[in-house]
Structure formats: C-alpha cells, structure tokens
C-alpha cells in the first residue's frame, strides 16, 4: 500500500482568504456608503462607486494616486488628510460627523476612519467609511424645533394662568381655611 499525501493547509487558507476578499469586495461595491482605502501617506488603494457619485471624480483614475494628485474639492482632501493624521497619531479608530460638499450639495456624514495594521503592528492602510445621515439630522432638527415650540407654548399658557389666578393672600383674607393647589400639567 502506497500513500501519497500532501499538506494543502496553506493553499486552503489562501483560497479562504481570497474568497473572503471577494465577498468583501462585492459588499463594498454595492454599499450605499462611501468606502475608501488609503495608505498612511495618502495613496489610493480602493474607492467604491459612491466616491464617484459624491465627488464627480472617476474612481478608475484614483488607484495608486496620492490625494494631492486628485481633483477633489479642497474640503474633501482636508477631510481625508485630517482622518489620516488622526489615525496615525492615535493608532485607533476615529468616529465622528462631518459635513462634506457633494455633487448634490452639502451632506452630513457619519464617518469611521479605521487603521489596518500589518504583522508588525504598523499601519498598512486606513479605511474610510462615510454614511450619509443628512436626512436623519434634518429630522432631528425638525423635532427639536417642534419640541421648543411646544415648550414655549406651554410656558406662555402658564404665564397666562398665573396672571389670572388671584393672589393667595387676597383669597386667605376672605376665606381663611382655603388653599390653591396650582400645578401646571407639563411644566
């Protein structure tokens, strides 16, 4: 009996990694979020289709170009540079909200800037994920305004009621064993 065996562990790990990479690529390509992967010195490795839709700069020409070589709006370049510097200094994920100029006007974005490390724990690439939250923010602002209007209306009603109710000293003068329990419902 002859056994001919070969260790294919490395090949299987590589196949799994390639499959996972392909799945991640498909997710990025179909994501509604802007996804960009840059080197620590600002060179583009990847940009999904949303980048082109937001900036009107063809994404095909971005790969391997530096930020300074791309015809982005100055605010967008500053956004990327600021994210890179923040992650390089802290070596940690950065989250925040940023207003960015887009083809459709100013948009409020929920931004995640994520460092990706190599085996030596040096930053290899920096992943930018920006989700448009403009509509949600506009709704929040509208709700805050309506709450303010309602509160102001209730306060005004309280002032009117306080002006109408006679002073308790006058009432006590004519009805000594009396009291007024005055407590506005919402304020």
């Amino acid at each position: 009996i002859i056994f001919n065996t070969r260790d294919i562990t490395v090949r299987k790990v590589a196949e799994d990694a390639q499959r996972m990479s392909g799945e991640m690529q498909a997710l990025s390509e179909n994501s509604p979020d802007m996804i960009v992967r840059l080197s620590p010195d600002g060179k583009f490795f990847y940009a999904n289709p949303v980048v082109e839709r937001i900036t009107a700069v063809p994404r095909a020409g971005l790969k391997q170009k530096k930020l300074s070589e791309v015809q982005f709006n100055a605010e967008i370049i500053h956004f990327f540079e600021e994210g890179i510097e923040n992650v390089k200094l802290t070596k940690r994920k950065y989250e925040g909200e940023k207003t960015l100029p887009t083809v459709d006007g100013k948009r409020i974005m929920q931004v995640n800037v994520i460092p990706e490390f190599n085996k030596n724990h040096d930053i290899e690439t920096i992943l930018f994920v920006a989700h448009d939250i403009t509509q949600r923010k506009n709704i929040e602002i509208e709700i805050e305004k309506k709450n303010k209007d309602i509160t102001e209306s209730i306060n005004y009603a309280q002032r009117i009621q306080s002006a109408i109710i006679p002073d308790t000293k006058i009432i006590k003068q004519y009805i000594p064993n009396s009291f007024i329990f005055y407590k506005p419902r919402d304020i």
Side-chain angles (χ1 to χ4, degrees), residues 28 33-39 42-52 54-55 59 62 65 67 72 76 79-80 84 112-114 116 125-130:
S28 294
D33 300 336
M34 178 175 77
I35 300 173
V36 174
R37 179 170 279 123
L38 295 166
S39 69
K43 187 185 291 183
F44 281 87
F45 286 123
Y46 174 77
N48 74 343
V50 177
V51 173
E52 188 170 331
I54 287 176
T55 65
R59 73 182 185 120
L62 295 177
K65 283 190 176 177
L67 277 169
F72 280 158
I76 293 178
F79 157 71
F80 284 122
I84 289 170
N112 290 301
V113 184
I114 306 161
E116 297 174 317
T125 58
I126 300 169
L127 182 66
F128 286 79
V129 180

Side-chain angles (χ1 to χ4, degrees), residues 34 54 73 75-80 97-109 111 130 134:
M34 178 175 77
I54 287 176
N73 179 303
E75 287 181 63
I76 293 178
I77 290 175
H78 179 70
F79 157 71
F80 284 122
E97 291 180 6
K98 200 77 168 162
T99 302
L100 294 176
T102 69
V103 174
D104 301 326
K106 296 271 186 183
R107 306 300 288 177
I108 303 168
M109 308 294 255
V111 178
T134 306

